[in-house]
Amino acid sequence: MKRHCSRLFSAQLDLNASELAQRLAIVQLYKAQGGGWNPETPAR
């Protein structure tokens, strides 16, 4: 049972790491295409 929990935890950590990497890649792509915002520009 303990081995199963350890493998499950490891798999969850791997999944979280890959989801984070995917989100960071999306942000980098957005920025590379000129996306973003200027926090000093007032909202409309």
Side-chain angles (χ1 to χ4, degrees):
M1 180 69 175
K2 187 173 186 175
R3 212 176 261 188
H4 172 72
C5 290
S6 177
R7 286 178 45 210
L8 175 60
F9 183 69
S10 179
Q12 288 173 328
L13 288 177
D14 290 343
L15 176 61
N16 287 338
S18 64
E19 288 176 342
L20 175 60
Q22 181 181 18
R23 290 181 178 118
L24 290 174
I26 290 169
V27 170
Q28 289 173 343
L29 177 62
Y30 181 73
K31 286 182 175 181
Q33 293 176 338
W37 70 92
N38 183 352
E40 298 192 14
T41 304
R44 295 181 184 185

